[in-house]
Amino acid sequence: MMPGTAHSQMRAQAPQEGKSHSFFPLLGYASDFGFFGGVVYQRINYADQRRPFLSNTLVDVVGSTKSRWSVQVDYERIELFGLQVRNRSVVDFELNPIRSFFGIGNNTGFSKDQFENDIFFLEQRHGLLSFQARKPLIRLGERQSIDGVVRLKGSYTSVSDRGRDTIFFKRPPSNSDDGWVNGIGFGVIFDSRKSEFDPRSGRRFEAGVDVSTPILGSDYVFYELFSDVKAYIPLTDRVVFAQRLEARHNSGDTPFWELPVLGSDEGLRGFALDRFMGDSSLLYMAELRSWLFSFFEGDIRVGAHTFYDTGRVYSENDSNLLFDDWKNTWGAGGAITLFNPDLIFRGEIGFSGEDYRIYAGLGYAF
């Protein structure tokens, strides 16, 4: 064990106090967006050593050389008007002239030449406002409970093709008109992780249903059922085996941009962005993570991980045998924290049978 490593782990897991401000310029490269730049600001209030915090504010502004721009403000607090109701509000705006669309199904066509000639692209403009509140329903011990969740969402999306040669123009999906998706959702959450930013042990389970309804002004009527299970197993004092299993199912007049998709830094890393789209999806992810060494008494930590992803989507265009034709990817990455163990920068490279992808972002994939 390198000198300072054990100290940095103790520091990372130790309770934080007061307020933490982090402001960093961003500069990097990601395969799906090109070179990008921007800023990220995080403010965490650990007042009275509240766990995981009293409040957490994250502002992320990014623009890329491929003309994709996004602004996101994410605010979370563990109290609401003095009540033990954890709540989260998100505002998100995106202008994306390189939104991918390969068609609907688990076996849509792909070639590097067509991809480089923009055959699979469309232009998308998207705005989102969401609110989530959760309250303990059943106490299971100190800092553990089953929480009930209520979600509200309002979003507007408009899309347009990028030419007569694109897949989106030649084979447009159903439910592709511009419109509002406004809905309400209900679910449950169980979380036994000691850290939400850098989990080293414990489990998290979430399941629920989201309904888009004209009662709330939505132009589309559909629902989505989902479940998401995550488990973290410490193999040694430094190595963690992290796993995730997620399932989604949509029914109704779902606009194509709300359908389950696989192929991103959050699943099937190594395929092009949004490579597979269907009515339902299954995804399994596994990672081996470790913090390797640290500098300046643990203020800067450097880690590495390897990963394996597998999954598929289901649609009327595919064989719906549960374990038929699953896609597989693998890769490796690194992580670094700068003066705050709860702000993690991540970079990865993933490989699939079609291509490879380089990723950069905030936080672990799960």
Side-chain angles (χ1 to χ4, degrees), residues 10 15 50 76 85 169 171 176 193 269 275 277 296 305 362:
M10 292 172 61
R50 302 289 187 93
E76 191 167 8
V85 177
F169 181 86
R171 299 194 295 273
S176 60
R193 300 171 300 173
R269 290 163 282 186
R275 177 65 183 88
M277 178 181 296
F296 306 116
H305 56 276
L362 298 176

Side-chain angles (χ1 to χ4, degrees), residues 120-161:
F120 300 112
F121 290 152
L122 59 92
E123 185 167 338
Q124 176 174 293
R125 296 156 294 278
H126 177 75
L128 165 73
L129 174 63
S130 67
F131 176 79
Q132 174 180 286
R134 52 187 279 198
K135 181 176 177 57
L137 299 178
I138 303 174
R139 294 287 185 180
L140 301 176
E142 185 180 1
R143 298 178 182 173
Q144 290 189 25
S145 63
I146 297 177
D147 294 357
V149 182
V150 177
R151 289 178 297 275
L152 293 172
K153 168 186 172 180
S155 69
Y156 184 83
T157 304
S158 65
V159 296
S160 58
D161 66 75

Side-chain angles (χ1 to χ4, degrees), residues 53-57 74-90 130-136 147-151:
F53 44 69
L54 175 61
S55 65
N56 179 21
T57 304
D74 190 333
Y75 178 75
E76 191 167 8
R77 188 177 177 90
I78 65 171
E79 294 179 351
L80 182 64
F81 303 121
L83 302 175
Q84 190 180 1
V85 177
R86 182 168 175 174
N87 58 96
R88 181 184 182 188
S89 301
V90 176
S130 67
F131 176 79
Q132 174 180 286
R134 52 187 279 198
K135 181 176 177 57
D147 294 357
V149 182
V150 177
R151 289 178 297 275

Side-chain angles (χ1 to χ4, degrees), residues 87-332:
N87 58 96
R88 181 184 182 188
S89 301
V90 176
V91 179
D92 189 8
F93 295 99
E94 180 187 52
L95 173 62
N96 187 4
I98 51 169
R99 164 67 196 264
S100 300
F101 178 75
F102 299 88
I104 306 296
N106 196 54
N107 290 292
T108 53
F110 175 88
S111 79
K112 290 185 179 180
D113 289 340
Q114 287 181 316
F115 188 81
E116 292 172 356
N117 288 326
D118 299 345
I119 299 302
F120 300 112
F121 290 152
L122 59 92
E123 185 167 338
Q124 176 174 293
R125 296 156 294 278
H126 177 75
L128 165 73
L129 174 63
S130 67
F131 176 79
Q132 174 180 286
R134 52 187 279 198
K135 181 176 177 57
L137 299 178
I138 303 174
R139 294 287 185 180
L140 301 176
E142 185 180 1
R143 298 178 182 173
Q144 290 189 25
S145 63
I146 297 177
D147 294 357
V149 182
V150 177
R151 289 178 297 275
L152 293 172
K153 168 186 172 180
S155 69
Y156 184 83
T157 304
S158 65
V159 296
S160 58
D161 66 75
R162 290 190 49 181
R164 302 177 65 88
D165 293 330
T166 62
I167 298 298
F168 184 75
F169 181 86
K170 292 180 176 180
R171 299 194 295 273
S174 58
N175 302 321
S176 60
D177 293 334
D178 303 349
W180 290 91
V181 173
N182 304 329
I184 186 170
F186 304 93
V188 293
I189 293 177
F190 168 75
D191 194 345
S192 64
R193 300 171 300 173
K194 293 183 179 179
S195 169
E196 298 186 14
F197 302 97
D198 180 21
R200 317 298 292 175
S201 63
R203 292 166 175 77
R204 186 185 191 278
F205 170 78
E206 181 174 8
V209 58
D210 292 319
V211 180
S212 177
T213 169
I215 297 175
L216 297 177
S218 182
D219 295 317
Y220 291 95
V221 181
F222 65 96
Y223 70 86
E224 177 178 87
L225 300 170
F226 71 91
S227 65
D228 192 354
V229 182
K230 302 170 184 175
Y232 305 87
I233 303 171
L235 301 182
T236 70
D237 60 344
R238 290 194 296 172
V239 179
V240 174
F241 181 41
Q243 299 178 85
R244 180 189 187 193
L245 180 62
E246 181 195 50
R248 296 177 60 189
H249 173 70
N250 276 51
S251 182
D253 298 325
T254 309
F256 79 94
W257 62 80
E258 294 283 345
L259 290 172
V261 292
L262 296 178
S264 73
D265 63 344
E266 297 180 346
L268 284 190
R269 290 163 282 186
F271 282 105
L273 185 64
D274 298 337
R275 177 65 183 88
F276 305 102
M277 178 181 296
D279 300 314
S280 307
S281 66
L282 278 174
L283 172 68
Y284 172 77
M285 307 171 69
E287 289 190 4
L288 285 174
R289 304 173 182 168
S290 177
W291 292 106
L292 302 178
F293 51 87
S294 65
F295 304 98
F296 306 116
E297 298 183 346
D299 283 336
I300 298 177
R301 296 182 300 155
V302 178
H305 56 276
T306 61
F307 63 82
Y308 170 77
D309 298 349
T310 184
R312 63 158 294 181
V313 300
Y314 301 84
S315 75
E316 61 182 8
N317 302 322
D318 306 307
S319 162
N320 283 321
L321 295 176
L322 183 62
F323 295 107
D324 187 33
D325 198 21
W326 280 48
K327 314 301 182 182
N328 306 287
T329 67
W330 61 276

Side-chain angles (χ1 to χ4, degrees), residues 21-57:
H21 296 265
S22 301
F23 182 88
F24 294 102
L26 297 177
L27 182 64
Y29 175 82
S31 296
D32 293 305
F33 303 121
F35 290 97
F36 64 85
V39 294
V40 59
Y41 169 74
Q42 185 183 49
R43 177 185 182 274
I44 303 181
N45 186 352
Y46 300 101
D48 302 323
Q49 296 187 2
R50 302 289 187 93
R51 300 272 69 80
F53 44 69
L54 175 61
S55 65
N56 179 21
T57 304

